[in-house]
Amino acid sequence: MAILSVRTPSSIQLLRSSVSPIFSKPLFQSSSSFSSSIVSSPSTRLKSNSPISRPRVVLARASTGVAEPVADYKEDIGEILGDVSIFTASGQPVKFSDLLDQNDGVSAVVLLRHFGCVCCWELATALREAKPRFDAAGVKLVAVGVGTPDKARILATRLPFPMECLYADPERKAYDVLGLYYGLGRTFFNPASKKIFSRFDEIREAAKNYTIKATPEDRSSVLQQGGTFVFKGKKLLYGRKDEGTGDHPSLDDVLNVCCQTVA
């Protein structure tokens, strides 16, 4: 597998910490508890390891800003997602609909893997640096991660990252609604993850204040993949599911979609 074709011991160590704390702490307490969590998971997780040729993307048309029809999502996916309840980084419950622009404006919503993933610290760093550009374009930037609010605050404090943009989804409700990928294969062995090695310096820089304490207590959460979405009000205009760990889209591309929509 390409993901295992690492050249240096330091690369191996960084990959281990970036994909999961699985190497330093047990993923689950017992085989029976892990099995039951998989059995009770929604069908989207059970199907998440089926191979596809490229990342599934919903693209907005440059001329109209209207999304092409996509089989992955129903037309009312924004309404369905809006009813999901998650938490602010400070611990207050909030409906997902409140995260989206309330005046039919544009929102860029990035779902991280989990707060203890080094690749997500790298992505959060890129989001923080890009935020002034999103603000200037009139786009609301939202980041959601897997874990409890106290884990979100660890990332926000140590990275740092603006807490007003950060939300916690400990039960992965939004991830399930959006059908984001989940599983061992996606997390450790997907070929899309090889792009991690092209961003080695960025990941190392983002990990300077990293701590494994940001990892969710529910160790099965580290197998969750993320995604990036653009909404106009509650209407989905762009969506991309991460194929594997570290498989993030270009923020320039995401901002471009947002700007086309705003225009």
Side-chain angles (χ1 to χ4, degrees):
M1 291 290 182
I3 191 172
L4 298 181
S5 300
V6 237
R7 298 190 182 95
T8 66
S10 60
S11 297
I12 296 174
Q13 183 59 40
L14 182 54
L15 175 60
R16 285 182 170 182
S17 60
S18 68
V19 291
S20 156
I22 233 174
F23 295 95
S24 58
K25 198 165 185 177
L27 172 64
F28 45 86
Q29 298 302 317
S30 67
S31 58
S32 60
S33 63
F34 181 71
S35 299
S36 63
S37 70
I38 296 298
V39 170
S40 62
S41 297
S43 59
T44 52
R45 289 188 192 161
L46 296 178
K47 296 177 181 178
S48 63
N49 284 318
S50 56
I52 61 176
S53 59
R54 62 181 185 276
R56 295 185 179 182
V57 180
V58 186
L59 285 174
R61 293 177 183 165
S63 57
T64 64
V66 177
E68 298 284 357
V70 175
D72 285 32
Y73 298 110
K74 296 181 179 179
E75 196 169 316
D76 61 347
I77 185 64
E79 295 287 346
I80 298 170
L81 182 65
D83 288 335
V84 169
S85 181
I86 58 174
F87 297 91
T88 66
S90 60
Q92 300 301 312
V94 60
K95 289 284 188 182
F96 212 99
S97 57
D98 294 333
L99 277 58
L100 306 178
D101 191 287
Q102 301 300 300
N103 298 312
D104 284 337
V106 178
S107 305
V109 180
V110 179
L111 283 84
L112 311 172
R113 290 187 60 245
H114 63 85
F115 295 119
C117 171
V118 172
C119 289
C120 293
W121 284 51
E122 178 233 350
L123 177 55
T125 299
L127 289 171
R128 182 192 66 202
E129 293 174 351
K131 187 176 183 302
R133 297 165 59 202
F134 281 89
D135 290 344
V139 177
K140 183 177 182 180
L141 187 61
V142 174
V144 181
V146 175
T148 50
D150 61 306
K151 304 297 186 181
R153 290 194 296 273
I154 291 174
L155 181 147
T157 302
R158 294 180 68 97
L159 194 57
F161 189 84
M163 278 187 57
E164 67 273 12
C165 299
L166 189 61
Y167 298 85
D169 186 1
E171 297 179 22
R172 291 172 279 161
K173 295 178 182 178
Y175 295 75
D176 286 342
V177 168
L178 292 167
L180 299 184
Y181 298 123
Y182 177 91
L184 280 168
R186 292 284 178 184
T187 302
F188 295 107
F189 306 114
N190 194 280
S193 295
K194 65 184 179 181
K195 64 175 62 175
I196 289 175
F197 301 111
S198 69
R199 307 195 311 268
F200 187 83
D201 290 340
E202 289 85 351
I203 294 173
R204 183 170 54 187
E205 181 67 23
K208 282 184 175 179
N209 291 322
Y210 171 81
T211 173
I212 201 171
K213 293 179 180 179
T215 304
E217 296 301 326
D218 175 9
R219 289 300 192 254
S220 65
S221 295
V222 305
L223 302 180
Q224 180 66 60
Q225 296 301 318
T228 303
F229 301 84
V230 174
F231 292 88
K232 183 175 176 61
K234 292 183 180 179
K235 184 176 179 59
L236 178 64
L237 299 180
Y238 168 99
R240 184 186 185 280
K241 301 177 181 181
D242 294 348
E243 289 288 301
T245 300
D247 179 37
H248 316 315
S250 161
L251 292 184
D252 287 338
D253 291 346
V254 176
L255 183 58
N256 187 47
V257 171
C258 293
C259 290
Q260 291 171 359
T261 303
V262 171

